[in-house]
Amino acid sequence: MKVGVLTGGGDCPGLNAVIRSVVRKGVQEYGFDFVGVRDGWLGLLQDDVAPLDIPRVRGILPRGGTILGSSRTNPFKHEDGLRRVRRTLAAHGVDALVVIGGEDTLGVATELHRQGVPLVGVPKTIDNDVSGTDYTFGFDTAVGIATEAIDRLHTTAESHMRTLVVEVMGRHSGWIALHAGVAGGANVILVPERPFDIEQVCDQVRSRFKIRYAPIVVVAEGAAPRQGQTVLKDESLDEFGHVRLSGIGEWLAREIQQRTGHDARTTVLGHIQRGGTPSAFDRWLATRFGLHAIDAVRDGDFGVMVSLRGTRIVRVPLADATATKKVVDQPLCDEFGVFFG
Amino acid sequence: MKVGVLTGGGDCPGLNAVIRSVVRKGVQEYGFDFVGVRDGWLGLLQDDVAPLDIPRVRGILPRGGTILGSSRTNPFKHEDGLRRVRRTLAAHGVDALVVIGGEDTLGVATELHRQGVPLVGVPKTIDNDVSGTDYTFGFDTAVGIATEAIDRLHTTAESHMRTLVVEVMGRHSGWIALHAGVAGGANVILVPERPFDIEQVCDQVRSRFKIRYAPIVVVAEGAAPRQGQTVLKDESLDEFGHVRLSGIGEWLAREIQQRTGHDARTTVLGHIQRGGTPSAFDRWLATRFGLHAIDAVRDGDFGVMVSLRGTRIVRVPLADATATKKVVDQPLCDEFGVFFG
Amino acid sequence: MKVGVLTGGGDCPGLNAVIRSVVRKGVQEYGFDFVGVRDGWLGLLQDDVAPLDIPRVRGILPRGGTILGSSRTNPFKHEDGLRRVRRTLAAHGVDALVVIGGEDTLGVATELHRQGVPLVGVPKTIDNDVSGTDYTFGFDTAVGIATEAIDRLHTTAESHMRTLVVEVMGRHSGWIALHAGVAGGANVILVPERPFDIEQVCDQVRSRFKIRYAPIVVVAEGAAPRQGQTVLKDESLDEFGHVRLSGIGEWLAREIQQRTGHDARTTVLGHIQRGGTPSAFDRWLATRFGLHAIDAVRDGDFGVMVSLRGTRIVRVPLADATATKKVVDQPLCDEFGVFFG
Amino acid sequence: MKVGVLTGGGDCPGLNAVIRSVVRKGVQEYGFDFVGVRDGWLGLLQDDVAPLDIPRVRGILPRGGTILGSSRTNPFKHEDGLRRVRRTLAAHGVDALVVIGGEDTLGVATELHRQGVPLVGVPKTIDNDVSGTDYTFGFDTAVGIATEAIDRLHTTAESHMRTLVVEVMGRHSGWIALHAGVAGGANVILVPERPFDIEQVCDQVRSRFKIRYAPIVVVAEGAAPRQGQTVLKDESLDEFGHVRLSGIGEWLAREIQQRTGHDARTTVLGHIQRGGTPSAFDRWLATRFGLHAIDAVRDGDFGVMVSLRGTRIVRVPLADATATKKVVDQPLCDEFGVFFG
């Protein structure tokens, strides 16, 4: 049996750990052959694949990034994309795919599987917003980096008695903000799932200053004030259509400073949250995902995604997993009621 | 309502995070008063308790250790221990206890609850061997430290073409060895739950050298060779009755060196696995345990232990949780078959 | 003898280590008494001082920030500032001051000493731009944090084949940019001391892409393009007069993207460079500075600053040290010629 | 011109950084060709050399170990060793060598240079005991690891009120013990250069317990008690002639426990001090050493070693540098008088 492996979407610590365990178990236990697909779906469109074996995956467990490269290419947005994908798979005799990716990449996988391509999905995103799994790998690493940054900012906040706003990743979900905010001892945590009231935030800030402590505000990049409040406008996208690095965090610091009269500054953590060596938790999870993904391939159990449930790895239908995003829900926020504004 | 908080057993990153969230939520949401009990059960025997309030728990979230101190004292091993515990609780008007500890401390809590003392348990151990919860806090930190150490040892092993044996904590369970071994890319992982065959270990070592890579062997301090094989004897305890720091790891290096003819060295990680700032994962878990423990107190739901199940915190009967240790089972080991000797 | 200790200017890892060693040696070896001055010079203006003893400095060695608080207050900008400073010193019987600060704080110290106030200076700045000393404490920590960030960004740059611009601290000097850029393996390093040619930077970027590697550009916040080239204007200051977090780094990413046609992003490291626990190097240096500063006080050798020369701590006249900033000079840049654009 | 590069002796973070900067500058600025010699002097004895170019040194800056391998082989201990070295150099047309190593490797280099082999030395050792240079690379990384370990042990010591002994590397010199001990806030620091009095150590331990704090004792592996005191004997070497991992540290814990009646434990840091990614300081130093070493080759300035003096890299005669070890001297110890027993 010949198996293709591809990684799609944004950089995420643990991708290499999945590739490594898929290939090691596939070769050693099942005698499979492997090819690596370059740059996600792009490699299948452009017939850019290369053999993948155990020597090739040696030493990659602790390395960030992906040895296969990645892209955000969607084959269904190319005319005859599906045909080209099939042709590449046929040309190399690929019997099954292991697709490692986030919402977009797995959405494509879901559709390809419907069209008859035999594949198994592995969920990947630092944002932790894939349904059907307790956690995705990359998330723990991102939370760890953000928490360490918050730890460092505490001493600056205290020494200068100013508010420090920390903007973390999360356009659509607040998982990183919530976990890093709780772990870092933030005084206010703002997530996309719950529009915030800027005056409530300022009340929290003021009450912190009253006891002579400096507040830390953690905000997900996708968080937004309630309707009717001053809103980011043209600032939110830059001329290339990127969300600006300095969006909501800077707005918050400005508003807090003006409304409370206390100095406020912003730190935007940005890409450092998604690179570098994966945490032990993420290496463990990614390694297990890989081992179970290749088991599913051997079982001919296609159209599934491996996922974490408690301490066990299970298989769930890809279609279910990609139907909705997993968001920070109200009951979980309520747990931390005392910590929020 | 007045609530007492105590921490028992070995040092564990996250203890302070539990204390902090118990007190913050208890005071702010429920208006409870708190006292801290010094040095675990010893403080109840010796009437060593002191008020605990929000200013006292400020800034302790990232700190290792416990502001309350700890001990391994068991009140049931003291004549009239139970009576003295009751007297201390009565003298300070303590209505309920939050008991943060491992197997021994929670075992005492189980018995005290049977005797009518109202209390709620919080599981704590870097060893992760408490039943009834997916994970205990402290474990992720210990695994992270051990994994980072293994990462460092890889380069030494490769540069000198020698076997490096890493002895990690775990007298009765192999959780740290298994997780850190998998995350660190070890070639052999030895756990107390599965007696090993020294010749199989050496075979793994030899096959690694054949491809010109240097092997890393991770061994839990409680792992042991199969019956009939050369065994540690008088070496295993020192004159004070401690398990010697340099037990199984050194024995292994010696055997591997003699049997394979390749140089082998041991590193015993020791206490650095249990101290210092908790990981973000452990701070999150410990904080949630604290929040749920004080909820159980408010509900008058005594005799329970808070525990992690998937992503949710639930309550389980203390008696169930302390009945058996959680061990590394065969199916989980089998998952990683390709990585073991 | 009674000695006052104060810390002025921005947060800097190692301040507490100096305070601790000054007090420990002063009390234990010389039998001095100590007072701590709150919030830099402000505490002397407002008579905000408090006793400082060994129990007060226990456990602060690894902590960022300063237990004394800090400010940027300049007593010479207050009418009768000098008189109020003298009055506070007299009221508390302070015989000498240990002044820990950067360029501004030490500038004030230089003038106060001229006016007859007996004091010893200790240089502090993460920017490393104080003359007369090989290094200042705080710098090594900042460089370490920036280097770790660059390590993380490499994997993202490679996985997505985009330019990553990292903006580090340094308004007037490029020490952090140079050290972290070299240590992080940056492809272009831009410092305030050398205006850059944006087209040369883009040439470097292009040559990196040609060999299919993604470029990392490290830029000090105070770096600027050569005269005549497109310049930051109203963007450079925000409405509060702060230098915007997103100044030169964002401008660079925009220019590089437009000129090379390759995707480019910016990460602004910001305040995480100045907080948190000091590195071992900084703790060592700060501790020694403290020990030598109190020796100078005992010797009655006032108006000096302790400084590092090779591996020795020496005393230099404060007036010399504060006369000019230490900048990244041409010969040092030339050493790294191959790494620059 | 063709230049050979070799690394000898123990693993040390920063070796790859030297190799990288030697090759990059040599190729890009001077147009040199390079060969890498495998496994130190062994590669010259066995004619094991291979071409080395810029693609080969990409991405190695942050990696521990050495891509060239290392050994402790001494060609002068082999009959006709010198002849074989010369033959290998001639066979590959090697015009000059860059030799990266510690005392032993540089001692061989000194002798080879006397015999007419054109070479430049680069000092390397985590022990920092090479004369003629302020610091060697690898040392800062080792001190950082040891300091972080001591930070972690503080919380365990405090929580359990026991003495923790930390044994760090340093058979002949106490640099790591001194720096990490000072940076980690140890209460007693024991170095090979100063035989200690076990009763004085115990006095320090007792005085620490008196104020209810737990002592940390940092001891270099080569430290020893004063003559006449109970001494390690047969314990000090194991059956393979290794110095046992658990020598002086365990002896100390045993003595302290018996003499003071307080619980004491040992942690032996071992090999984790010498592996893994180099600190920013070490990458900076190693990179500069490499750049200056290849400059010396270009200048035909052979028989020298590059060395750090203050902030400058200079050249010193190899013969001077290898004549004596650099030890921790009395004046430096006296600086920290208050911290020692």
Side-chain angles (χ1 to χ4, degrees):
Chain A
M1 189 165 201
K2 189 182 273 185
V3 182
V5 183
L6 73 80
T7 53
D11 192 26
C12 182
L15 289 168
N16 284 328
V18 180
I19 298 168
R20 170 179 174 270
S21 70
V22 162
V23 172
R24 284 189 61 165
K25 187 167 196 181
V27 171
Q28 292 184 11
E29 292 213 354
Y30 305 137
F32 292 166
D33 291 318
F34 285 89
V35 291
V37 179
R38 291 286 318 166
D39 297 335
W41 300 116
L42 189 64
L44 288 184
L45 288 180
Q46 301 188 335
D47 192 8
D48 191 358
V49 308
L52 195 58
D53 54 14
I54 288 183
R56 186 75 190 79
V57 301
R58 279 224 170 80
I60 67 173
L61 174 60
R63 297 215 198 129
T66 160
I67 59 167
L68 297 175
S70 186
S71 74
R72 299 189 187 277
T73 304
N74 182 340
F76 292 109
K77 292 194 173 157
H78 291 71
E79 207 185 342
D80 80 350
L82 177 59
R83 203 178 50 78
R84 285 159 67 191
V85 166
R86 284 195 209 276
R87 195 172 50 192
T88 301
L89 295 175
H92 296 273
V94 173
D95 302 300
L97 280 176
V98 173
V99 178
I100 312 163
E103 199 197 17
D104 293 343
T105 306
L106 294 181
V108 169
T110 306
E111 184 54 29
L112 279 178
H113 176 252
R114 270 193 207 110
Q115 304 278 352
V117 177
L119 55 79
V120 169
V122 178
K124 166 240 73 151
T125 163
I126 64 161
D127 290 332
N128 197 37
D129 58 0
V130 173
S131 293
T133 184
D134 287 355
Y135 293 105
T136 48
F137 63 85
F139 172 64
D140 184 68
T141 305
V143 170
I145 294 167
T147 301
E148 196 189 312
I150 298 170
D151 280 357
R152 293 196 173 278
L153 294 172
H154 272 292
T155 63
T156 295
E158 296 301 336
S159 298
H160 295 284
M161 275 297 148
R162 62 164 67 131
T163 302
L164 279 176
V165 177
V166 190
E167 185 182 312
V168 299
M169 284 193 164
R171 288 189 196 172
H172 306 291
S173 70
W175 291 107
I176 293 177
L178 181 64
H179 277 247
V182 167
N187 305 101
V188 178
I189 300 170
L190 304 173
V191 297
E193 292 88 341
R194 298 173 87 188
F196 61 85
D197 181 321
I198 183 66
E199 256 313 304
Q200 277 186 10
V201 170
C202 291
D203 282 346
Q204 283 290 107
V205 164
R206 286 181 199 109
S207 72
R208 184 84 179 156
F209 278 119
K210 251 177 229 151
I211 54 169
R212 291 186 57 83
Y213 279 84
I216 300 277
V217 176
V218 173
V219 58
E221 58 188 332
R226 283 198 193 140
Q227 218 180 6
Q229 303 202 317
T230 317
V231 185
L232 297 185
K233 282 209 203 92
D234 35 23
E235 280 186 304
S236 57
L237 292 188
D238 68 16
E239 60 199 283
F240 313 105
H242 301 155
V243 172
R244 284 171 64 98
L245 281 176
S246 49
I248 186 66
E250 251 184 46
W251 181 84
L252 264 168
R254 214 147 49 212
E255 291 291 323
I256 290 171
Q257 180 156 321
Q258 284 182 322
R259 288 166 188 254
T260 68
H262 288 281
D263 204 18
R265 301 291 169 90
T266 299
T267 293
V268 181
L269 292 187
H271 293 288
I272 58 168
Q273 293 163 87
R274 68 181 325 129
T277 194
S279 70
F281 182 98
D282 281 337
R283 296 187 200 179
W284 166 264
L285 180 58
T287 297
R288 292 183 78 199
F289 274 174
L291 298 173
H292 282 263
I294 198 65
D295 282 356
V297 168
R298 181 215 40 193
D299 295 345
D301 191 2
F302 298 116
V304 300
M305 181 184 88
V306 292
S307 83
L308 179 70
R309 290 282 169 81
T311 60
R312 293 175 52 237
I313 310 294
V314 300
R315 300 171 192 169
V316 299
L318 259 174
D320 294 2
T322 55
T324 56
K325 273 184 181 299
K326 184 176 68 177
V327 294
V328 175
D329 61 12
Q330 194 60 42
L332 186 59
C333 288
D334 290 345
E335 273 194 31
F336 300 97
V338 290
F339 297 113
F340 284 93
Chain B
M1 189 164 201
K2 189 182 274 184
V3 182
V5 183
L6 73 80
T7 54
D11 192 26
C12 182
L15 288 167
N16 284 327
V18 180
I19 298 167
R20 170 179 173 270
S21 70
V22 162
V23 173
R24 284 188 61 164
K25 187 168 194 180
V27 171
Q28 292 183 12
E29 292 213 355
Y30 306 136
F32 293 166
D33 290 319
F34 285 89
V35 290
V37 179
R38 290 288 315 166
D39 297 336
W41 300 115
L42 189 64
L44 288 185
L45 288 180
Q46 302 188 336
D47 192 8
D48 191 359
V49 307
L52 195 57
D53 54 14
I54 288 183
R56 186 75 191 78
V57 301
R58 276 225 171 80
I60 66 174
L61 174 61
R63 298 216 196 128
T66 160
I67 59 166
L68 298 175
S70 186
S71 75
R72 298 190 187 277
T73 304
N74 181 339
F76 291 109
K77 292 194 172 157
H78 290 72
E79 209 186 341
D80 79 350
L82 177 59
R83 202 180 49 79
R84 284 159 67 191
V85 166
R86 284 194 208 276
R87 196 173 49 193
T88 302
L89 295 175
H92 295 273
V94 173
D95 301 300
L97 280 176
V98 173
V99 178
I100 312 164
E103 199 197 17
D104 293 343
T105 306
L106 294 181
V108 169
T110 306
E111 184 54 29
L112 280 178
H113 177 251
R114 272 196 206 107
Q115 304 279 352
V117 177
L119 56 79
V120 169
V122 178
K124 165 240 73 149
T125 162
I126 64 160
D127 290 332
N128 197 36
D129 58 359
V130 173
S131 292
T133 184
D134 286 356
Y135 293 104
T136 48
F137 64 85
F139 172 64
D140 184 69
T141 304
V143 169
I145 294 168
T147 301
E148 194 189 314
I150 298 169
D151 280 358
R152 293 196 172 277
L153 294 172
H154 271 292
T155 64
T156 295
E158 296 301 335
S159 298
H160 296 282
M161 274 297 146
R162 63 165 64 132
T163 302
L164 279 177
V165 177
V166 191
E167 186 182 311
V168 300
M169 283 191 163
R171 289 190 195 173
H172 306 291
S173 70
W175 292 107
I176 294 177
L178 181 64
H179 277 247
V182 167
N187 304 100
V188 178
I189 300 171
L190 303 173
V191 298
E193 292 88 341
R194 299 173 86 190
F196 61 85
D197 180 321
I198 183 66
E199 257 313 303
Q200 278 186 10
V201 170
C202 290
D203 283 347
Q204 282 291 107
V205 163
R206 287 182 197 106
S207 72
R208 183 85 179 156
F209 277 119
K210 252 178 228 150
I211 55 169
R212 291 186 57 84
Y213 279 85
I216 300 277
V217 176
V218 173
V219 58
E221 58 187 332
R226 283 198 193 140
Q227 218 179 7
Q229 302 202 318
T230 317
V231 185
L232 297 185
K233 282 209 202 90
D234 35 22
E235 280 186 305
S236 57
L237 291 188
D238 67 16
E239 60 198 283
F240 312 106
H242 300 155
V243 171
R244 282 171 64 99
L245 280 176
S246 49
I248 185 66
E250 251 182 45
W251 181 84
L252 264 169
R254 213 148 48 212
E255 292 290 323
I256 290 171
Q257 180 156 321
Q258 284 182 322
R259 289 164 187 254
T260 68
H262 289 280
D263 205 17
R265 302 290 170 90
T266 299
T267 293
V268 181
L269 292 187
H271 293 289
I272 58 169
Q273 293 163 88
R274 66 182 327 129
T277 195
S279 71
F281 182 97
D282 281 337
R283 296 188 199 177
W284 165 263
L285 180 58
T287 297
R288 291 183 77 198
F289 273 175
L291 298 173
H292 283 264
I294 199 65
D295 282 355
V297 168
R298 181 215 39 192
D299 295 347
D301 191 3
F302 298 116
V304 298
M305 180 185 88
V306 292
S307 83
L308 178 69
R309 290 282 170 81
T311 60
R312 293 175 51 235
I313 309 294
V314 300
R315 300 171 192 169
V316 299
L318 258 174
D320 294 3
T322 55
T324 56
K325 273 185 181 298
K326 184 176 66 177
V327 294
V328 175
D329 62 11
Q330 195 60 42
L332 186 59
C333 288
D334 290 346
E335 273 193 31
F336 300 98
V338 290
F339 297 113
F340 285 92
Chain C
M1 187 165 203
K2 188 182 274 185
V3 182
V5 183
L6 73 79
T7 54
D11 193 24
C12 182
L15 288 168
N16 284 327
V18 179
I19 298 167
R20 170 179 173 270
S21 70
V22 163
V23 172
R24 284 188 61 164
K25 188 167 195 181
V27 172
Q28 292 183 12
E29 292 214 355
Y30 306 136
F32 292 166
D33 291 318
F34 285 89
V35 291
V37 179
R38 291 288 316 165
D39 297 335
W41 300 116
L42 189 64
L44 288 184
L45 288 180
Q46 301 187 337
D47 191 9
D48 191 358
V49 307
L52 195 58
D53 55 14
I54 288 183
R56 186 75 191 79
V57 302
R58 277 225 170 79
I60 67 174
L61 173 61
R63 297 216 197 127
T66 160
I67 59 166
L68 298 176
S70 186
S71 74
R72 298 190 187 276
T73 302
N74 181 340
F76 291 110
K77 293 194 172 159
H78 290 72
E79 208 185 342
D80 79 350
L82 176 59
R83 203 180 48 80
R84 285 159 67 190
V85 166
R86 284 194 208 273
R87 194 172 51 191
T88 302
L89 294 176
H92 295 273
V94 173
D95 302 299
L97 280 177
V98 173
V99 178
I100 313 162
E103 198 198 18
D104 293 343
T105 305
L106 294 181
V108 169
T110 307
E111 184 54 30
L112 279 178
H113 177 252
R114 272 195 207 110
Q115 305 279 350
V117 178
L119 55 80
V120 169
V122 178
K124 165 240 74 147
T125 162
I126 64 162
D127 290 332
N128 196 37
D129 57 0
V130 173
S131 292
T133 184
D134 286 355
Y135 293 105
T136 49
F137 64 85
F139 173 64
D140 184 69
T141 304
V143 169
I145 294 168
T147 301
E148 195 189 312
I150 298 169
D151 279 358
R152 295 197 171 276
L153 295 171
H154 271 292
T155 65
T156 295
E158 296 302 334
S159 299
H160 296 283
M161 274 297 147
R162 63 165 65 129
T163 301
L164 279 176
V165 177
V166 191
E167 185 182 312
V168 300
M169 284 191 163
R171 289 191 195 171
H172 305 291
S173 71
W175 292 106
I176 294 178
L178 180 64
H179 277 246
V182 167
N187 305 100
V188 179
I189 300 172
L190 304 173
V191 298
E193 291 88 342
R194 297 172 88 191
F196 60 84
D197 180 322
I198 183 67
E199 257 312 304
Q200 277 186 9
V201 170
C202 290
D203 282 347
Q204 284 288 107
V205 164
R206 286 181 198 107
S207 73
R208 183 85 178 156
F209 278 119
K210 251 178 227 152
I211 54 169
R212 289 185 59 83
Y213 279 84
I216 301 277
V217 176
V218 173
V219 58
E221 59 188 331
R226 284 198 192 142
Q227 216 179 6
Q229 303 201 317
T230 316
V231 184
L232 297 186
K233 284 208 203 94
D234 36 22
E235 280 185 306
S236 56
L237 291 187
D238 68 15
E239 59 198 284
F240 311 106
H242 301 155
V243 171
R244 282 172 65 98
L245 280 176
S246 49
I248 185 67
E250 251 181 47
W251 181 83
L252 264 170
R254 214 148 49 213
E255 291 291 323
I256 291 170
Q257 180 155 319
Q258 284 181 323
R259 290 165 187 254
T260 68
H262 289 282
D263 205 17
R265 302 291 170 89
T266 299
T267 292
V268 180
L269 292 187
H271 292 290
I272 59 169
Q273 292 163 89
R274 67 180 329 128
T277 195
S279 71
F281 181 98
D282 282 336
R283 296 187 200 179
W284 167 263
L285 180 58
T287 296
R288 291 183 79 198
F289 274 173
L291 298 173
H292 283 263
I294 199 65
D295 281 356
V297 168
R298 182 216 37 193
D299 295 346
D301 191 3
F302 298 116
V304 299
M305 179 183 88
V306 293
S307 83
L308 178 71
R309 290 283 170 82
T311 60
R312 293 176 52 235
I313 309 294
V314 300
R315 300 172 192 167
V316 298
L318 259 174
D320 294 2
T322 55
T324 56
K325 274 186 181 296
K326 184 176 66 178
V327 294
V328 175
D329 61 11
Q330 195 61 41
L332 186 58
C333 288
D334 290 346
E335 274 195 30
F336 301 97
V338 290
F339 298 113
F340 285 93
Chain D
M1 187 165 202
K2 189 182 274 183
V3 182
V5 183
L6 72 79
T7 54
D11 193 24
C12 181
L15 288 168
N16 284 327
V18 180
I19 298 168
R20 171 180 173 268
S21 70
V22 162
V23 173
R24 284 188 62 166
K25 187 166 196 182
V27 171
Q28 292 183 13
E29 292 213 355
Y30 306 136
F32 293 165
D33 290 317
F34 285 89
V35 291
V37 178
R38 291 287 316 166
D39 297 336
W41 300 115
L42 189 64
L44 289 184
L45 288 179
Q46 301 187 336
D47 191 8
D48 191 357
V49 307
L52 195 58
D53 54 15
I54 288 181
R56 186 75 191 80
V57 300
R58 276 225 171 79
I60 67 173
L61 173 62
R63 296 216 198 127
T66 160
I67 59 167
L68 298 176
S70 185
S71 75
R72 298 190 187 275
T73 303
N74 181 340
F76 292 109
K77 293 195 172 157
H78 290 72
E79 207 185 342
D80 78 351
L82 177 59
R83 204 181 46 81
R84 285 159 68 191
V85 166
R86 285 194 208 274
R87 196 173 51 193
T88 302
L89 294 175
H92 296 273
V94 173
D95 302 301
L97 280 176
V98 173
V99 178
I100 312 163
E103 198 197 17
D104 293 343
T105 305
L106 295 181
V108 169
T110 306
E111 184 54 29
L112 279 178
H113 177 252
R114 273 194 206 109
Q115 304 280 350
V117 177
L119 55 79
V120 169
V122 178
K124 164 239 74 149
T125 164
I126 64 162
D127 290 332
N128 197 37
D129 57 0
V130 173
S131 293
T133 183
D134 286 355
Y135 293 105
T136 48
F137 63 86
F139 172 64
D140 184 68
T141 304
V143 170
I145 293 168
T147 301
E148 195 189 311
I150 298 170
D151 280 357
R152 293 195 172 278
L153 295 171
H154 271 292
T155 65
T156 295
E158 295 302 336
S159 299
H160 295 283
M161 273 298 147
R162 63 165 66 131
T163 301
L164 280 177
V165 177
V166 191
E167 185 182 312
V168 300
M169 284 191 162
R171 288 189 195 172
H172 306 291
S173 71
W175 293 106
I176 294 178
L178 180 64
H179 277 247
V182 168
N187 305 100
V188 179
I189 300 172
L190 304 173
V191 298
E193 291 88 342
R194 297 174 87 189
F196 60 85
D197 180 322
I198 182 66
E199 257 313 303
Q200 277 186 9
V201 171
C202 290
D203 283 346
Q204 282 290 105
V205 163
R206 287 181 197 107
S207 71
R208 184 83 179 157
F209 278 119
K210 252 177 228 151
I211 54 169
R212 290 185 59 82
Y213 279 84
I216 301 276
V217 177
V218 173
V219 57
E221 58 187 333
R226 283 198 193 142
Q227 217 180 8
Q229 303 201 316
T230 317
V231 184
L232 296 186
K233 281 207 203 95
D234 35 22
E235 280 186 304
S236 56
L237 291 188
D238 68 15
E239 60 197 283
F240 312 106
H242 300 158
V243 172
R244 284 172 63 98
L245 281 176
S246 48
I248 185 67
E250 251 182 47
W251 181 84
L252 264 169
R254 212 146 51 212
E255 291 290 324
I256 290 171
Q257 181 156 321
Q258 285 182 322
R259 290 165 187 254
T260 68
H262 289 281
D263 206 18
R265 302 290 169 89
T266 299
T267 292
V268 180
L269 292 186
H271 292 289
I272 59 169
Q273 293 163 88
R274 66 182 327 127
T277 196
S279 70
F281 181 98
D282 282 337
R283 296 187 199 179
W284 166 264
L285 180 58
T287 297
R288 291 184 78 199
F289 273 174
L291 298 173
H292 283 262
I294 199 65
D295 282 357
V297 168
R298 181 215 41 191
D299 295 347
D301 192 2
F302 298 116
V304 299
M305 180 184 88
V306 292
S307 84
L308 178 70
R309 290 281 170 83
T311 59
R312 294 175 51 236
I313 309 293
V314 300
R315 299 172 192 168
V316 298
L318 259 173
D320 294 1
T322 57
T324 56
K325 273 185 181 298
K326 184 177 66 179
V327 294
V328 175
D329 61 12
Q330 194 61 41
L332 186 58
C333 288
D334 290 346
E335 273 194 31
F336 301 98
V338 290
F339 297 113
F340 284 93

